[in-house]
Amino acid sequence: EVQLVESGGGLVQPRGSLRLSCAASGFTFSSYWMSWVRQAPGEGLEWVANIKQDGNERYYVDSVKGRFTISRDNAKNSLYLQMNSLRAEDTAVYYCARSFVNRYFDLWGRGTLVTVSS
Amino acid sequence: DIQMTQSPSSVSASVGDRVTITCRASQGISSWLAWYQQKPGKAPKLLIQTASSLQSGVPSRFSGSGSGTDFTLTISSLQPEDFATYYCQQGNSFPFTFGPGTKVDIK
């Protein structure tokens, strides 16, 4: 089955860190750009980061630059998001998404909730 | 950054109605636009990409049009399973940005 499964979310204090993981299966993971997209409670969608197939190109939304790092391990069919210096405004469901022609998101995981609160 | 706006923000409609949602980009994005459907508690689903290309498995009652800055999503005959929130997204340049969403609910 073609799927993405996120893990690693939870409650973290402001200025804390968290690492999200996404396990891909059912498709050739190494052939696709991959992305993280988030959605704050009751809000819309926000693209967070993209990473190229070989990991050599990465792009971020300005609000997370310098704090978040997207990475991947093609041997493990896994995508990661290292989140440091977390803020209350980072509270959201984080979705792992497969990037279609590096412009859209054609396969999504179920999401993992990150709550930043003291 | 390219800002995306949608109208209306919500629409109440009945089964069988024709529904049109508009999306506008703050600058030209050629045809690099996608539409997603999201139901409560679920991940978004890609419906249409490159403004008018229907994703495999998406019913033909969904259609998209437009280029440049103005785009539309049309549902020709609303079905019960179509009640959801719809988002547009520009894929022209980083950072990719989404519209605020249009909620389609039951009249």
Side-chain angles (χ1 to χ4, degrees):
Chain A
E1 182 185 1
V2 177
Q3 64 176 357
L4 298 168
V5 179
E6 303 94 337
S7 60
L11 175 64
V12 60
Q13 294 189 337
R15 296 175 297 282
S17 297
L18 210 57
R19 188 194 196 208
L20 306 183
S21 299
C22 170
S25 58
F27 66 98
T28 306
F29 178 74
S30 60
S31 296
Y32 291 86
W33 283 76
M34 293 296 296
S35 309
W36 288 98
V37 177
R38 67 183 178 183
Q39 186 169 36
E43 300 296 324
L45 300 164
E46 180 181 42
W47 168 79
V48 174
N50 262 32
I51 186 168
K52 194 178 178 181
Q53 291 91 329
D54 60 7
N56 286 338
E57 287 185 45
R58 310 176 195 204
Y59 299 89
Y60 300 91
V61 68
D62 280 352
S63 59
V64 309
K65 281 180 184 175
R67 300 188 300 123
F68 290 11
T69 302
I70 188 172
S71 63
R72 65 192 296 162
D73 184 337
N74 288 340
K76 294 182 177 180
N77 291 332
S78 293
L79 178 72
Y80 306 101
L81 186 67
Q82 177 67 44
M83 304 186 294
N84 299 329
S85 303
L86 282 160
R87 307 166 179 167
E89 55 265 35
D90 296 317
T91 294
V93 173
Y94 284 74
Y95 293 103
C96 169
R98 187 175 73 180
S99 188
F100 176 65
V101 299
N102 191 28
R103 295 184 185 274
Y104 317 114
F105 313 105
D106 69 338
L107 178 67
W108 298 66
R110 297 176 66 177
T112 187
L113 176 62
V114 173
T115 303
V116 184
S117 174
S118 55
Chain B
D1 297 0
I2 298 173
Q3 308 303 317
M4 307 299 292
T5 58
Q6 288 180 235
S7 62
S9 57
S10 65
V11 56
S12 294
S14 301
V15 172
D17 284 353
R18 182 182 183 90
V19 173
T20 299
I21 299 169
T22 297
C23 176
R24 177 164 290 174
S26 61
Q27 62 190 76
I29 59 170
S30 185
S31 295
W32 302 118
L33 185 101
W35 290 98
Y36 300 84
Q37 176 193 68
Q38 187 179 33
K39 297 181 180 180
K42 301 294 186 182
K45 175 186 176 182
L46 178 62
L47 299 176
I48 289 170
Q49 42 87 10
T50 318
S52 60
S53 296
L54 206 64
Q55 280 297 95
S56 175
V58 175
S60 59
R61 62 181 179 273
F62 291 92
S63 64
S65 64
S67 66
T69 59
D70 296 318
F71 302 86
T72 59
L73 171 70
T74 300
I75 309 171
S76 61
S77 177
L78 200 65
Q79 297 302 299
E81 60 268 30
D82 301 337
F83 291 98
T85 299
Y86 294 84
Y87 295 93
C88 61
Q89 174 245 324
Q90 65 85 11
N92 182 75
S93 59
F94 289 115
F96 297 146
T97 46
F98 291 85
T102 295
K103 185 176 182 181
V104 178
D105 60 20
I106 301 172
K107 191 173 187 178

